Amino acid sequence: MTYNRRKFLGITASGAALAASGSFFSSCSAPLEKKGATSQVELKISCQEGVAPGKTLTEKLDFMEQLGIVGLEVWGGGLENRVNEIQDALKNRSIKVSAICAGFGGWLIADDPAVRQTCIDSMRVILEAAGALGSTGLIFVPAFNNQPSLPHKESRELLVEELKELAAFAAEKGTRLLLEPLNRGECYFCRQVADAAAIMRDVNHPAAAVMGDFWHMTWEETSDRGAFISAGNYLHHVHIASRKRRKMPGEDGAADNYTEGFKGLKEIGYSDYVSFECGSEGDPAVTLPAAVKLMREQWELA
Ligand code: MG
């Protein structure tokens, strides 16, 4: 069984893996150091492929580039068949691949061992392609609420063991694992950024990292800033959407405030991407530039 994230195309490729470099992992699980002036931290905006307007990947990248968007997030399903296509499309551009979003089969804490194995095997295929593309990591959720899973304690213990092996494989290929906490309606097992970070602390591998999604955080966190600070150097990706309806940031008016979260990102010296994972009520050719502007204004305020 696979799960869907809206707006991703299920297109599929192969390529050489990048060697894991020391600098790539140097900040993963090192103790949180006090960084310099927070104003030095750069906002690197990324966009999922399905969010940007355009009929082709080239059109989408042209649109993103003129907005100063520097990351492209792609769906993991069939990624092994798209490596060359994506590498060619990114040649001579200022845009790099950010995270890879899911796209594997099965789920890691399934009560059925065969489903767990399907998940591990298919995650390996995507991790190899992710490494070849220089991606910051593969986003995964241990299980959605509707996916029959082991009891919580057993799930957590098993997950940590599975992730040790997958993290070692990811590192070999030059990328990471990015555990994504979701809101309780989608994944009760892991809802908060700090809990995801604690799981990855137990995995204890430099390629075991987490992400935060402002949409899910709206429903689960008591503090966006606190959530990001608690994840510290385990945090390697962020998703952004409007906070009431998961549309383009700004389309939910005053609710779309990310300043406290951005403050937290600056405080931990966050150096990865903030990526659009959202729909749009209006025309993305209009709402996406407005959302980029809003993010930059709030980043300045943070
Ligand atoms: Mg997300």
Side-chain angles (χ1 to χ4, degrees), residues 102-237:
F104 43 81
W107 56 100
L108 287 175
I109 57 173
D111 54 5
D112 179 348
V115 174
R116 300 199 294 267
Q117 196 57 49
T118 296
C119 187
I120 290 168
D121 293 345
S122 55
M123 280 181 77
R124 283 173 178 257
V125 173
I126 301 170
L127 283 166
E128 184 161 358
L133 288 166
S135 165
T136 53
L138 169 60
I139 299 167
F140 74 98
V141 173
F144 286 80
N145 286 341
N146 63 353
Q147 296 177 319
S149 299
L150 294 166
H152 190 107
K153 185 171 183 292
E154 217 177 319
S155 280
R156 197 188 187 288
E157 288 167 357
L158 174 78
L159 181 65
V160 168
E161 293 310 310
E162 290 171 330
L163 293 180
K164 283 180 181 172
E165 281 189 32
L166 281 168
F169 183 82
E172 210 178 281
K173 300 301 172 190
T175 190
R176 301 184 185 88
L177 300 171
L178 295 165
L179 171 51
E180 181 175 23
L182 304 184
N183 72 72
R184 67 195 67 191
E186 296 184 39
C187 171
Y188 205 86
F189 176 81
C190 183
R191 299 177 292 110
Q192 293 188 303
V193 178
D195 191 26
I199 291 171
M200 289 318 209
R201 177 205 58 199
D202 292 353
V203 175
N204 191 27
H205 190 287
V210 306
M211 62 163 293
D213 181 328
F214 275 109
W215 162 253
H216 298 290
M217 290 167 67
T218 303
W219 317 106
E220 300 297 339
E221 304 289 352
T222 52
S223 159
D224 293 338
R225 178 173 167 239
F228 287 145
I229 290 174
S230 66
N233 287 330
Y234 289 96
L235 191 78
H236 281 280
H237 197 58

